[in-house]
Amino acid sequence: MKWTRKDLLSLADLSAGEINFILETTAEFKGVGQRRMKKVPSLRGKTLVNFFVEASTRTRTSFELAGVRLSADVVNIAATTSSLSKGETLVDTAKNLEALAADLIVLRHSAAGASQFLAERLRAGVINAGDGAHEHPTQGLLDVFTIKERLGRVEGVKVGIVGDIRFSRVARSNIHALTKLGAEVTLIGPPTLVPREFARLGVGISHSLDDVLGDLDVVNLLRIQHERQKAGYFPGTGEYASLFGLNAARAERLKPEALVMHPGPIHRGVELDGAVADGPHSVILDQVTNGLAVRMAVLYLCGSVSGEKEA
Amino acid sequence: MSVMPPQRLADAGELASAMNVLADGLASELDGRTLVFLAGIPTRGVMLAQRLSGLLAAKGIPSEAGAVDISMYRDDLGMRGGVAPLQATQLPMDLDKWTVVLVDDVQHTGRTARAAIEAVLAFGRPRRILLAVLVDRGGRELPVRPDFTGMAPEVSLGARVRVHLAGQDEGEEGVFIS
């Protein structure tokens, strides 16, 4: 097959074949990071705009480095420096970027669907770097890549996603990618954060980490946001940690080869203890390395196709 | 424009002789003491590199065969109707000690060879890079010329030259024009 999309908006849109295509491309770009010359000329002469209307350091840095490694010219725009704060609409800002001949726009926005909105209106390729509680496709891809790299397969792997599922774009992207590739996914957390409706996505639901922990091949712990506590979704971080935190005692009940994942930034002592984050099960830094390779692959693929539409 | 049926430029036996011409040329250039790495350019160059390695071995010249994918180094990104899958690159770890022979099935504009040179240089600084092509069909757009050529038929500019290899392509082995 060939890759024919100019945009990456969600993993729900993609077929299993397309997801595997990106994962295979990622493996080659990971190899580029091990060469003496870590830069390839694929996007030479192209302009990549990182347009972050919501704060982010690690995702933006990862996309920035990915663009640089592909030889694109990279510009970063943060919400506070853009005219959005002066009342310009999102599409006007983006059309201005396109008038400056941006070939690829990486968008992080608090509104679900913002990337799709831009993608439908611009010739440039649009990469969703997180849109509200909708999706964060490159995070889902890097998580699946890390699982496949470490365990050799995705099909049949038992993955537990723990925490704030309700508001998590990371969870949604992971669920779509994992179920399409045949993993068995269980969502774990308090009923307020793991609503029953998620079962429709073809996943299991558990409100007890202790019940399912020993059966999991992968434990992916999501960041708990303090705003949720204020809104009453759970009583306090101490109680959350005692029920759903992966501490050293719980980690002893993991399968020997089980992986512990976290999209970062970690709240040590809340979602997981420091000893577990730094311990033998942890692949958290692999996720960071793989994130760069995934983003290079996605920019390479979508950048090639968006150039085609202009030609 | 009428569609011409594919015409055969070389059958399996003539393809094998062209491979022998390449092997003879390489053998006269390499002294058997240098480390020789045959880097095939996907897709068909990879199989040709393996065959060439076998032919050189029969002449007492040891070599290794691998592949160099050039997709990331092309200058026509986004002009080809979708993006094809990347192929694995296999080059020696200590590239600086090796003579690298780029192996391709058809040389046309020279852009593929240029990209392959850049791709190899990203991995290190080989002692030498040579270019061996089975069919030089002419039509160069860059000053990149093969060091060794198996055959150089007269071909009109608009024609497509295809190499079919047993074990990789359907139908009989040979060189075809359409």
Side-chain angles (χ1 to χ4, degrees), chain A residues 1-4 21 24-25 28-29 31-32 35-37 39-44 46 300-301 303-305 307-309 311, chain B residues 69 71-75 77-89 93 95-96 114 118-119 121-125:
Chain A
M1 74 173 270
K2 283 189 163 193
W3 179 263
T4 54
F21 193 101
E24 283 153 24
T25 307
E28 295 304 318
F29 276 103
V32 172
R35 293 179 192 174
R36 185 181 300 184
M37 179 66 181
K39 195 164 170 169
V40 293
S42 310
L43 298 184
R44 193 156 49 191
K46 303 223 174 203
Y300 166 77
L301 293 172
S304 303
V305 176
E308 195 169 274
K309 297 218 164 165
Chain B
D69 185 69
S71 311
M72 297 176 199
Y73 299 88
R74 296 190 74 99
D75 63 3
L77 197 68
M79 287 160 66
R80 293 178 298 144
V83 192
L86 299 175
Q87 306 294 319
T89 290
M93 291 300 286
L95 194 62
D96 296 22
R114 183 217 59 83
E118 191 177 357
L121 293 178
F123 287 84
R125 188 176 183 276

Side-chain angles (χ1 to χ4, degrees), chain A residues 59-71:
Chain A
T59 303
R60 183 186 55 69
T61 307
S62 183
F63 270 110
E64 184 175 358
L65 190 52
V68 168
R69 291 260 172 100
L70 291 166
S71 305

